[in-house]
Amino acid sequence: MIKENNKSCAVIGAGISGIAASIRMRNKGYKVTVYEANSFPGGKLSTETNNGYRFDMGPSVFTMPHYVDELFRISGKEPREHFNYIQLDPVYHYFFEDGTRLDSYHGKEKFAEQLASKTGDSKEDIIKYLDKTETIYKLTEEVFLKNSLHRLRNFFTWPILRGILNFGKIGAFDTMNGANEKAFKDHRLIKIFNRYSTYNGSSPYLSPATLNVIAHVEIVKGAFYPVGGMFSITDSLVKLAKDIGVEFKFSTPVREILIENKKVTGVRTDHGKEAHDIVISNMDVYNSYQKLMPAVKKPVKSLDQPKSSSGIIFYWGIKKEFSELGLHNILFSENYEAEFDTIFSKKTIYHDPTIYLNITSKHTPTDAPPGAENWFSFINVPNNSGQDWNKLVDEAREHMINKINRILKTDIRPLIDAELVFDPRVIEKRTSSAFGAIYGNSSNNKFAAFLRHANFSKDIKGLYFCGGSVHPGPSIPLCLLSAKITTGLIK
């Protein structure tokens, strides 16, 4: 039973972090209103249909499902009655230009055994590496994932002090690629571990080796598939929020965060001003300041950091089933370093891109017509700095089709039965992600985690932030943790 406190909270944006924040604030007794510019919830975690094919539009890898379950439990609900998922094994199918095909399995032993059998590195070396990523995870979990980095008192708790005292052990002074080249001989294995930098839109040749911890989360803790697809996360949480009394106002963009005497007083929409005691912005923090608080002094150190990469996505309906493909598939570039240099230094697309194919119809057959598949076909590209995206999208389409045809020894051109296209401009407009940067700031320097914007305003009372553009960062579990950190700061 929720104990009402006669105070109200506005949440700007019905992305996954905003929805989670609304549930947590409602459980604190606040009257909560979520304002969403789109006519649908989810932000990046949304869905579309086209010609009989259903697509999850954004995040496609699901880890740490207990953070979703937690939202049901704090609301007095049994999660399995409202939301379900299965563990994946194998998780990924990897394809290389030399014809090698490798599968990534759940668990250290099975993962190491499978890859050692097909690469030049030993099972023992792979397990040793995964043990090291586990150590990094244990040292950084409390410091970076579960607490605010911007509250001094947090640094005087033992778990955080332990992480700080062991800072030299978390790989902050090496790059991901540097650490991976020291650990392995086989270029294919190095690519597999380097690719985890793309989970937050960064380059493995620039970002700290600390990010190798992502491999531990996916391989050891496991990756999962929500029954019904990724949008079922959004759908189930919106239903939960409504059930406990959260109000959603769709097609209602917030035009201004109202501030008086350095304290929030509410929000202004096209329908007028609405008073609130607390405002939590799930909108990209850069755009929160630029568009909703243009007169407020901006925290330059966090807002002016280099932005992450973006993506070009072709949502293809394919009139054929490919038995060699699974839910998650990676077709690697031959020259990974040149690809990342092209994205981050030259600010354009690479002619031989690494392609990610996500096919939910492998687990949810109704996502495609019989005998067909729904392909979420993604490549990493730079964020929007004024490139000719019409030209680059056309080039990307050719590069991707040619690479898929070459590696799978097929011709998908006549099989494309439906097509939707997202590029950085579309991503920026649809999700209010500054410059179309999917992941907020990049992590291309060792201090990036400390330079993310705090979950609260240091200058304006009652103003808070959550989501992938602030601490602790992008991805579904981190966005859920962001909501937990943010609402935990509100007494």
Side-chain angles (χ1 to χ4, degrees):
M1 190 72 172
I2 293 171
K3 185 177 179 180
E4 305 290 343
N5 68 12
N6 298 317
K7 293 187 177 183
S8 68
C9 171
V11 177
I12 302 171
I16 189 66
S17 192
I19 299 167
S22 76
I23 293 168
R24 291 185 177 278
M25 290 301 288
R26 183 70 192 118
N27 274 284
K28 284 176 174 280
Y30 284 78
K31 179 184 177 182
V32 182
T33 305
V34 180
Y35 300 86
E36 171 55 50
N38 289 312
S39 60
F40 53 86
K44 298 180 182 76
L45 197 59
S46 59
T47 184
E48 295 282 353
T49 58
N50 185 21
N51 197 29
Y53 297 85
R54 190 200 71 83
F55 300 96
D56 286 316
M57 306 307 285
S60 55
V61 179
F62 184 40
T63 58
M64 298 184 171
H66 57 282
Y67 290 126
V68 175
D69 290 348
E70 185 176 84
L71 294 169
F72 286 96
R73 293 197 171 102
I74 66 171
S75 304
K77 311 285 185 183
E78 169 49 47
R80 297 291 75 78
E81 294 178 6
H82 305 275
F83 174 67
N84 287 283
Y85 47 85
I86 60 172
Q87 186 160 51
L88 298 173
D89 202 23
V91 179
Y92 268 92
H93 298 285
Y94 294 119
F95 298 80
F96 298 84
E97 287 283 358
D98 65 2
T100 304
R101 297 184 179 184
L102 302 174
D103 292 337
S104 170
Y105 283 87
H106 168 61
K108 290 182 188 177
E109 288 287 331
K110 194 172 182 182
F111 176 88
E113 189 174 294
Q114 288 290 325
L115 292 191
S117 68
K118 294 185 177 181
T119 66
D121 288 285
S122 68
K123 176 182 176 182
E124 292 72 25
D125 283 342
I126 297 171
I127 290 177
K128 181 181 177 182
Y129 175 89
L130 292 174
D131 286 341
K132 186 173 182 179
T133 65
E134 183 172 7
T135 298
I136 296 173
Y137 179 82
K138 289 177 178 178
L139 290 173
T140 59
E141 182 182 21
E142 292 291 335
V143 183
F144 294 103
L145 302 185
K146 292 188 174 182
N147 290 280
S148 171
L149 286 175
H150 305 87
R151 292 288 198 202
L152 184 61
R153 64 175 178 267
N154 288 345
F155 289 87
F156 295 98
T157 62
W158 170 240
I160 293 180
L161 276 173
R162 184 183 61 138
I164 294 169
L165 292 171
N166 287 279
F167 193 73
K169 295 181 180 179
I170 67 172
F173 299 106
D174 199 357
T175 64
M176 291 182 75
N177 179 71
N180 293 336
E181 284 192 337
K182 292 182 181 76
F184 305 113
K185 303 185 296 288
D186 197 295
H187 71 94
R188 294 163 297 185
L189 205 51
I190 293 168
K191 283 181 182 178
I192 286 172
F193 285 108
N194 275 353
R195 77 169 191 85
Y196 286 106
S197 68
T198 65
Y199 280 38
N200 64 11
S202 305
S203 166
Y205 304 93
L206 299 171
S207 53
T210 311
L211 292 182
N212 285 325
V213 71
I214 301 170
H216 167 74
V217 173
E218 184 176 280
I219 296 164
V220 179
K221 287 186 168 291
F224 302 82
Y225 178 73
V227 174
M230 296 295 286
F231 183 69
S232 67
I233 303 172
T234 297
D235 192 43
S236 64
L237 291 181
V238 169
K239 288 176 181 175
L240 170 63
K242 289 180 177 179
D243 189 49
I244 63 174
V246 173
E247 181 184 7
F248 286 83
K249 293 188 176 182
F250 294 107
S251 302
T252 308
V254 169
R255 302 300 184 187
E256 181 184 3
I257 295 174
L258 302 175
I259 302 165
E260 290 182 13
N261 299 320
K262 294 190 174 182
K263 182 183 184 304
V264 296
T265 59
V267 298
R268 180 177 60 83
T269 71
D270 293 337
H271 304 290
K273 295 180 180 180
E274 297 187 31
H276 292 284
D277 301 283
I278 298 290
V279 174
I280 301 174
S281 181
N282 180 216
M283 186 181 189
D284 184 295
V285 69
Y286 183 94
N287 282 335
S288 292
Y289 280 94
Q290 292 292 114
K291 297 182 178 182
L292 307 184
M293 302 178 288
V296 170
K297 183 180 178 182
K298 297 165 182 60
V300 175
K301 279 188 178 180
S302 58
L303 295 193
D304 287 354
Q305 291 299 306
K307 302 305 175 190
S308 77
S309 59
S310 186
I312 290 177
I313 314 163
F314 292 93
Y315 304 91
W316 282 326
I318 300 292
K319 296 186 295 183
K320 182 182 176 181
E321 294 180 292
F322 286 78
S323 59
E324 63 266 52
L325 297 175
L327 174 66
H328 300 301
N329 312 272
I330 299 284
L331 284 62
F332 278 108
S333 170
E334 182 69 13
N335 191 333
Y336 217 29
E337 186 168 9
E339 180 182 10
F340 281 98
D341 180 65
T342 301
I343 294 168
F344 287 98
S345 297
K346 299 175 182 176
K347 306 292 185 184
T348 189
I349 66 171
Y350 190 53
H351 69 275
D352 176 33
T354 296
I355 302 172
Y356 167 59
L357 297 178
N358 175 249
I359 310 171
T360 62
S361 60
K362 295 289 186 181
H363 288 276
T364 307
T366 54
D367 282 352
E373 295 179 342
N374 62 334
W375 286 18
F376 170 109
S377 314
F378 176 98
I379 63 169
N380 294 293
V381 303
N383 57 55
N384 184 17
S385 57
Q387 298 93 327
D388 183 348
W389 289 108
N390 291 334
K391 177 174 179 287
L392 293 180
V393 165
D394 288 343
E395 290 178 5
R397 192 178 194 274
E398 291 305 303
H399 295 330
M400 292 170 72
I401 289 174
N402 290 338
K403 187 176 185 70
I404 291 167
N405 287 348
R406 186 168 65 248
I407 288 183
L408 298 185
K409 295 179 171 52
T410 187
D411 182 6
I412 67 166
R413 288 180 193 275
L415 302 177
I416 297 175
D417 190 34
E419 181 178 274
L420 295 170
V421 185
F422 274 21
D423 62 43
R425 299 167 302 179
V426 179
I427 293 168
E428 184 171 12
K429 182 177 180 181
R430 183 181 172 104
T431 67
S432 198
S433 299
F435 310 104
I438 296 174
Y439 315 91
N441 292 349
S442 78
S443 294
N444 286 339
N445 72 73
K446 57 180 172 288
F447 298 113
F450 297 95
L451 293 171
R452 281 192 172 271
H453 195 285
N455 301 91
F456 61 94
S457 169
K458 295 178 181 178
D459 301 316
I460 302 166
K461 187 177 179 181
L463 177 60
Y464 297 84
F465 305 91
C466 67
S469 66
V470 298
H471 178 74
S475 79
I476 293 170
L478 294 193
C479 283
L480 294 174
L481 282 168
S482 179
K484 186 174 183 178
I485 292 169
T486 299
T487 56
L489 296 168
I490 302 169
K491 304 302 181 185

